[in-house]
Amino acid sequence: MSTEEEKRQAVRARCRERYLWILAKLSGNPVSVHMQGGGRVSGELLAVQGSGEHILVSGLQTPIGVLDKAVLRSSDIVRVTADWRLILDRQT
Amino acid sequence: MDLFKDMDHVSKYLGRPIEVELDTGKRRSEPISGNLVTVDPVTEGIIIARFKHISDAEPTWFDVIPRTAIVNISLKHNFDDTCREYFADFGMSSTSEQSSPPDVERQEIIRKRGEMYADYFRSHHIEVEELGDGVYVVCGNVKLLPPYKKDCFHCDMPLILNRILRMVERIPIQDDIQPLY
């Protein structure tokens, strides 16, 4: 493997590590999910599929009620927002 | 800018303020600004950090944005409340980067804590197997990982996991080993 390729791999590994680290921090904490079409739901993030295709949420509050557990497709999601300060406060 | 095709340049944009145009399913895309925390090379999703007030040193929100929702990403040159000129310190020290030497005393406390739980389960005639790297398997189903706290017990069967956790709650706290919770 060339030096340039090694550098590229190192960057990719670091980025992936950061991504997984943050997702792990978000797990078990309340999140707000902005859906395609303008809807917004909230719940507790339980897990994110390794491929990123689905996320698992508990206590999903929707306009028509609360779902105990729900699987959301990433293709239906615009963004998942988490209150970082709340997460840090919970850990201290 | 297409971050996903050119990972060589990703490291240059990490921490920088960016504006992301999002596909919200409506006619017009909506922009969101923040500091780029990371780009996932596998899913091609990104995470950005947003600030609430210009005086805040720490971000208020982290946004995970899947690739499917991203229309365009551009570097921001005008800073506002939502982002900083550069932000990279969010409390993670990468294992791939040089870090301070491990805290030997803390490692020893963690090791003792693991042994304490293993001895407790064995004293209650519950099988405990040590796999290596400090990983214990309790009752053939429950994995206990370092640093051996409440959220370090993992099992696919909630019933068994709950029973083990209820047992663990009854373990007396020892002074020289940090408590479980």
Side-chain angles (χ1 to χ4, degrees):
Chain A
M1 192 183 288
S2 67
T3 307
E4 286 303 313
E5 185 60 28
E6 283 176 4
K7 284 182 184 174
R8 264 194 290 271
Q9 285 287 54
V11 169
R12 291 172 65 94
R14 196 161 68 241
C15 286
R16 178 68 173 168
E17 185 184 16
R18 281 185 172 198
Y19 188 77
L20 293 176
W21 187 87
I22 290 173
L23 287 183
K25 284 287 184 187
L26 264 50
S27 293
N29 287 287
V31 294
S32 179
V33 184
H34 299 252
M35 307 295 293
Q36 292 282 344
R40 191 160 80 172
V41 295
S42 59
E44 182 181 304
L45 181 67
L46 290 181
V48 178
Q49 193 174 13
S51 62
E53 286 181 22
H54 299 93
I55 70 169
L56 181 62
V57 183
S58 73
L60 187 70
Q61 296 175 19
T62 74
I64 57 171
V66 180
L67 298 174
D68 187 38
K69 298 272 193 311
V71 175
L72 305 178
R73 289 184 300 202
S74 293
S75 55
D76 293 335
I77 295 170
V78 176
R79 58 187 168 106
V80 179
T81 301
D83 189 326
W84 189 244
R85 292 189 176 184
L86 181 66
I87 292 169
L88 293 179
D89 286 343
R90 281 183 164 199
Q91 291 178 346
T92 54
Chain B
M1 162 177 51
D2 193 340
L3 289 177
F4 312 107
K5 287 186 178 175
D6 198 354
M7 286 297 288
D8 285 345
H9 292 234
V10 166
S11 55
K12 294 181 187 176
Y13 302 130
L14 290 177
R16 302 282 176 214
I18 60 169
E19 185 172 275
V20 186
E21 275 185 54
L22 299 175
D23 177 13
T24 60
K26 298 178 186 174
R27 280 189 188 173
R28 293 171 62 182
S29 59
E30 289 179 5
I32 186 171
S33 302
N35 287 85
L36 181 63
V37 177
T38 189
V39 178
D40 183 28
V42 175
T43 63
E44 297 187 345
I46 67 171
I47 296 180
I48 64 171
R50 288 186 294 133
F51 296 77
K52 194 171 184 180
H53 302 293
I54 200 161
S55 56
D56 292 342
E58 296 290 329
T60 304
W61 301 286
F62 269 48
D63 291 277
V64 181
I65 304 173
R67 179 67 178 94
T68 50
I70 299 172
V71 174
N72 188 37
I73 299 176
S74 56
L75 277 175
K76 272 194 77 166
H77 300 287
N78 300 320
F79 312 118
D80 53 26
D81 290 358
T82 62
C83 49
R84 296 288 172 270
E85 187 174 358
Y86 184 77
F87 170 74
D89 181 18
F90 51 92
M92 174 194 170
S93 59
S94 171
T95 54
S96 60
E97 295 161 1
Q98 288 196 356
S99 55
S100 56
D103 184 348
V104 176
E105 192 176 332
R106 184 171 177 272
Q107 294 295 325
E108 184 61 20
I109 290 172
I110 291 172
R111 187 188 65 79
K112 281 187 181 177
R113 194 189 300 150
E115 287 177 356
M116 177 191 74
Y117 293 129
D119 291 341
Y120 179 81
F121 289 121
R122 286 178 183 132
S123 68
H124 286 72
H125 307 289
I126 294 175
E127 178 194 337
V128 178
E129 184 188 347
E130 189 172 358
L131 295 183
D133 289 335
V135 177
Y136 292 96
V137 178
V138 180
C139 203
N141 286 295
V142 180
K143 267 192 183 173
L144 175 57
L145 307 175
Y148 313 115
K149 295 198 173 180
K150 180 185 178 184
D151 56 359
C152 297
F153 288 87
H154 302 278
C155 181
D156 291 337
M157 290 171 274
L159 190 64
I160 297 176
L161 180 61
N162 287 337
R163 287 191 178 176
I164 295 294
L165 288 177
R166 276 204 294 273
M167 282 189 68
V168 164
E169 283 171 7
R170 291 196 288 268
I171 297 175
I173 295 171
Q174 300 184 22
D175 290 338
D176 58 344
I177 301 176
Q178 290 178 11
L180 179 65
Y181 297 95

